[in-house]
Amino acid sequence: MSPVLAVILTVLLASLLGGLWRVIRGPSDSDRMLSAQLLGTAAVAMTVVLARLQDMPALLDVALVLALLAAVTLVAYVALSESRGR
Amino acid sequence: MTVLLAFDLLLAASIVGLAAATLLMRDAFAMIVAFIVFGMLMALGWARLVAPDVALAEVAIGAGLSGALLLRTLAHLRGGSLSAQGGASVSAPANGATQGVNALLAGLATCALGLAYLGAPQNVPGLEAHVADAMPESGVTHPVTAVLLNFRAYDTLMEVVVLLAAVIVVWQVERGLAETPAPALGTVYQGFARVALPVAVIAGGYLLWIGAEAPGGAFQAGAVLGAVAVLGLLSRHVRPAPAHRPLARGAFVVGTAVFALVALGVAGAGRVAFEYPPAQAKTLILLIEAMVTISIAATLAALFHGRAPVAVSREETDR
């Protein structure tokens, strides 16, 4: 079981690092913010896998908080960008 | 386990690489987004190091609220909106003297950390054994909470005081910040809020309660509830007004006040301050944590708002 989980974990990290390219290069602010949201999803998935792999149910709470709060920055971005000129 | 070793190496390399990339970026917005992702990678690192408490604090504060606070600050620097280009330039040319002083201070901090690491006794057991021995007297079953709220409660009280001091300073200084602009948050946001806000409130209460026996506690719960308040501020469901000041002041102070009163009460009963009677320890710890959670949530929301509530003119309210 755990070798499979370790492979899944590594593939997820690789996909996160692939998305990191958009965060660093952009070009637009929206590209960066949306890829950060995508990476947040990957990080939630990795935390869930780690909870199983390391047999630490507490990490499920970490995944829950990450899933809940990752969207706050996106809402802040939308609210703070769109406000002018309306 | 070689796959796991490869994962660990890749994760460690990407944490260091992303930190370097964040520092080398020219665009302030890109730096903020990279810092948010850096927080997520750090949380994964802490999870791999079997430190779920730190991972939880990192996702709650590092990946969650810090990003919102930094974006809000950047919007202020750009004249009220992230997309507005009319405001002052954020990327002012770096001053050589400032950079020199920063480099010196950062270098000193690095040297101090190195000295502390080299000076620490090697290959000796840490304090885990002492903590494990004292657990029955702590009133809780989670060692981290026992340390934070009982064995070294004085330090934790000072951390709460730091937050109180921060919000006092923010309220004192009038920086000419614009009122929260009215956002155009449409139906997508309404649907999100309807699902996410109740879940976040429950999650905050859950983290507070679970702190006695598992990773969780006042700081994490306060951060989650603070995020709820931030969403309320962003969508203008909550509009700070001068009439809210007494309530807000009470919320800022209640954590520090209850914490200090419990310490004084325990000291008055012929014990050392913070030496809770074991029979009442869990009740006292949960009382302190609940009040500190309220203070942290209110303080984080006030820091996000960035100033004391002031009366807003009619047309600004209607915008």
Side-chain angles (χ1 to χ4, degrees), chain B residues 35-200:
Chain B
F35 183 70
I36 294 169
V37 180
F38 177 75
M40 295 173 190
L41 288 180
M42 282 298 287
L44 288 168
W46 288 120
R48 273 303 286 151
L49 291 170
V50 199
D53 294 86
V54 193
L56 195 57
E58 181 66 45
V59 294
I61 295 167
L65 271 182
S66 299
L69 276 172
L70 290 170
L71 285 177
R72 172 97 165 131
T73 309
L74 184 64
H76 282 315
L77 291 173
R78 287 185 179 172
S81 168
L82 282 173
S83 51
Q85 295 301 320
S89 170
V90 180
S91 52
N95 180 324
T98 314
Q99 279 187 328
V101 171
N102 279 344
L104 184 70
L105 291 176
L108 281 177
T110 310
C111 288
L113 281 174
L115 281 176
Y117 177 73
L118 293 175
Q122 305 288 321
N123 298 322
V124 291
L127 296 173
E128 293 99 329
H130 297 286
V131 172
D133 286 345
M135 280 308 290
E137 299 162 28
S138 69
V140 290
T141 52
H142 186 52
V144 174
T145 306
V147 170
L148 288 182
L149 267 299
N150 198 334
F151 305 151
R152 47 143 271 190
Y154 190 70
D155 289 14
T156 309
L157 174 62
M158 286 304 128
E159 287 166 15
V160 181
V161 171
V162 166
L163 274 177
L164 181 61
V167 79
I168 288 172
V169 171
V170 165
W171 272 32
Q172 294 303 316
V173 180
E174 175 56 64
R175 291 173 293 163
L177 301 182
E179 262 302 301
T180 322
L185 295 175
T187 46
V188 176
Y189 173 76
Q190 299 302 337
F192 164 76
R194 212 168 287 136
V195 176
L197 292 188
V199 175

Side-chain angles (χ1 to χ4, degrees), chain B residues 234-298:
Chain B
L234 279 170
S235 62
R236 293 219 120 193
H237 281 112
V238 184
R239 296 182 186 202
H244 296 157
R245 285 186 189 192
L247 184 66
R249 288 198 180 105
F252 298 153
V253 171
V254 69
T256 311
V258 168
F259 211 149
L261 280 177
V262 167
L264 286 175
V266 172
R271 289 167 161 266
V272 181
F274 295 116
E275 189 196 357
Y276 316 128
Q280 283 90 45
K282 178 164 187 182
T283 315
L284 289 176
I285 287 177
L286 272 177
L287 172 73
I288 291 170
E289 287 216 282
M291 296 303 128
V292 168
T293 301
I294 293 173
S295 283
I296 291 173

Side-chain angles (χ1 to χ4, degrees), chain A residues 32 54 56 61 80-81 83-84, chain B residues 30 47-48 79 81-83 206:
Chain A
R32 295 195 161 104
Q54 300 180 180
M56 290 176 69
D61 292 345
L80 294 171
S81 314
S83 51
R84 269 282 166 92
Chain B
R48 273 303 286 151
S81 168
L82 282 173
S83 51
Y206 162 77

Side-chain angles (χ1 to χ4, degrees), chain B residues 200-211:
Chain B
V201 172
I202 292 171
Y206 162 77
L207 286 174
L208 171 64
W209 178 254
I210 199 81

